[in-house]
Amino acid sequence: MKFIMRTQHQNFDQQIVFLRFLAIILILFHHSTTVFDGWPPSDLATLGLNSHMAMLSSFAKSYGLGIFTFISGYLIALSGRKKLGLRVVWHKMKKILGPCIIAAVIYYIWFSDFSYNGDPVNGTHLWYLPMIFILYFLAPFINSSSPMKFAAGVSVFFVVSFILYRITGIRTFNECTHYIGLFVCGSVFCRVVKHKPNIGIEKIILVSIVFAITMLKDLKSNISVVIMVSCLYYFLKALKERKVKRQGIAWRLSSTIIRQISNKSYFIYIVHQFVIDLCIMLIPIDTPYFKTTMIVACFTLSIIVPLALDYAMNKLKRFIQ
């Protein structure tokens, strides 16, 4: 039984590599296209984005952030952590809030014109990071052996986030009420696999969809969740397989490029908007095929520049040591 559970989690870990890659690619696509749809705020918004591309971009955002949130919930449940000591909280602060604060300061100094209301966190792409940090405080309830504590903790967390948003107007708390469903959905999925490794994947997906829909409050997000979980079905199905053919999912996931982008997805997420802002500033509007050039440049450079920067930083760190 333990071998089956371990094998299934290892299989899903392989899926995480691909899912993180897919998530960051979708987010980069979304932000590369919204330069013509008002994000970041600039004169390019007057050029507009056609309705089909706008719809595709919106879906990419919901799907990409949804996957990241689902994976975060899965991993926090997999850790089994039932207490959040100061050491754990400090570690999460350094890992999530530390880079967020540094990026926010740089954004405020150099790119304040490319944020809503001059807010370097809630007015930029960085809003997602403090939200994920806050959701990690659900760990004691998510990993509780008591169903009542699990349900009560999640419900209270949702209500408190909603009240705090109404009082303060801070976007982070509002987004918590939107994404808590997917976070808990990922944790529920992990717990089901832990305790009932042979349960049909179809039942897990059905429960996850129903749970996510009941936890999210607006129709647009509900539809995104249903589509997202349906798309995940193909990848999660690998949990039921002990062996995967060489040309199957496991072989494709072993791609060096995919794994590299997946492993650096957090750093890419933080840095990519700076790259896009620079593209807006540096690419002249009279460039031939301007829209296509801008989108392609934003997308490709948002991958290449963070990876190159990360490589250079690691080299410098080794040199200093």
Side-chain angles (χ1 to χ4, degrees):
M1 180 68 71
K2 289 183 179 179
F3 170 78
I4 295 174
M5 290 173 62
R6 185 166 59 252
T7 301
Q8 289 185 316
H9 282 300
Q10 287 173 347
N11 282 342
F12 188 65
D13 288 343
Q14 289 180 323
Q15 306 310 311
I16 286 177
V17 172
F18 180 81
L19 292 175
R20 273 197 312 227
F21 166 80
L22 179 61
I24 193 64
I25 289 298
L26 289 171
I27 291 170
L28 295 183
F29 170 78
H30 168 67
H31 284 160
S32 297
T33 54
T34 54
V35 296
F36 300 109
D37 198 33
W39 171 253
S42 72
D43 295 336
L44 295 184
T46 58
L47 299 177
L49 193 65
N50 70 65
S51 58
H52 297 295
M53 185 64 79
M55 183 175 65
L56 188 61
S57 177
S58 178
F59 170 74
K61 174 194 173 184
S62 299
Y63 195 5
L65 292 179
I67 292 174
F68 274 138
T69 310
F70 182 92
I71 291 174
S72 297
Y74 175 90
L75 293 176
I76 201 69
L78 186 61
S79 71
R81 186 174 288 114
K82 295 184 178 182
K83 292 183 179 180
L84 287 177
L86 290 177
R87 181 179 297 179
V88 176
V89 174
W90 176 245
H91 173 73
K92 289 297 180 184
M93 286 180 66
K94 288 195 298 182
K95 183 179 179 181
I96 300 176
L97 293 187
C100 176
I101 293 171
I102 294 172
V105 171
I106 296 173
Y107 209 96
Y108 181 77
I109 295 172
W110 287 346
F111 301 99
S112 59
D113 291 339
F114 293 108
S115 63
Y116 291 126
N117 301 320
D119 189 332
V121 177
N122 290 299
T124 69
H125 66 297
L126 298 173
W127 67 266
Y128 184 75
L129 305 182
M131 185 206 74
I132 282 293
F133 174 76
I134 292 174
L135 287 178
Y136 274 114
F137 284 90
L138 280 170
F141 307 106
I142 284 176
N143 294 322
S144 172
S145 56
S146 168
M148 287 299 295
K149 184 177 180 180
F150 177 94
V154 172
S155 300
V156 169
F157 190 94
F158 179 90
V159 172
V160 170
S161 297
F162 180 78
I163 292 174
L164 287 175
Y165 170 66
R166 289 297 183 182
I167 294 174
T168 65
I170 297 176
R171 178 183 180 182
T172 298
F173 297 118
N174 184 40
E175 298 295 350
C176 279
T177 65
H178 283 72
Y179 285 91
I180 187 175
L182 283 170
F183 189 85
V184 175
C185 176
S187 68
V188 169
F189 179 84
C190 181
R191 290 184 60 153
V192 170
V193 173
K194 276 184 178 180
H195 296 99
K196 296 182 179 179
N198 293 320
I199 192 170
I201 205 75
E202 295 82 1
K203 293 180 181 178
I204 297 175
I205 296 299
L206 179 61
V207 170
S208 298
I209 291 175
V210 173
F211 194 91
I213 289 176
T214 57
M215 291 300 295
L216 292 171
K217 64 179 184 178
D218 64 309
L219 184 61
K220 181 179 178 182
S221 294
N222 293 345
I223 294 173
S224 298
V225 170
V226 173
I227 295 174
M228 189 205 77
V229 178
S230 299
C231 292
L232 285 176
Y233 173 83
Y234 173 73
F235 302 106
L236 299 182
K237 196 172 180 181
L239 282 168
K240 299 176 70 176
E241 303 172 2
R242 291 192 183 184
K243 294 182 180 180
V244 185
K245 295 180 180 179
R246 179 174 173 78
Q247 298 298 326
I249 297 173
W251 184 80
R252 290 197 296 273
L253 295 183
S254 65
S255 164
T256 303
I257 296 176
I258 289 178
R259 188 169 294 278
Q260 182 72 7
I261 293 175
S262 175
N263 291 341
K264 303 299 180 183
S265 58
Y266 182 70
F267 187 69
I268 292 173
Y269 182 85
I270 291 177
V271 176
H272 81 277
Q273 193 61 53
F274 294 91
V275 177
I276 292 174
D277 293 349
L278 285 172
C279 287
I280 295 173
M281 295 168 62
L282 299 176
I283 299 178
I285 199 169
D286 58 353
T287 301
Y289 305 104
F290 176 68
K291 278 191 176 182
T292 303
T293 301
M294 177 63 75
I295 292 174
V296 172
C298 289
F299 181 79
T300 54
L301 291 176
S302 290
I303 298 174
I304 295 171
V305 172
L307 290 179
L309 183 60
D310 179 75
Y311 178 80
M313 290 169 61
N314 287 332
K315 282 287 187 181
L316 180 61
K317 188 184 297 184
R318 292 195 192 100
F319 177 76
I320 293 174
Q321 291 175 347

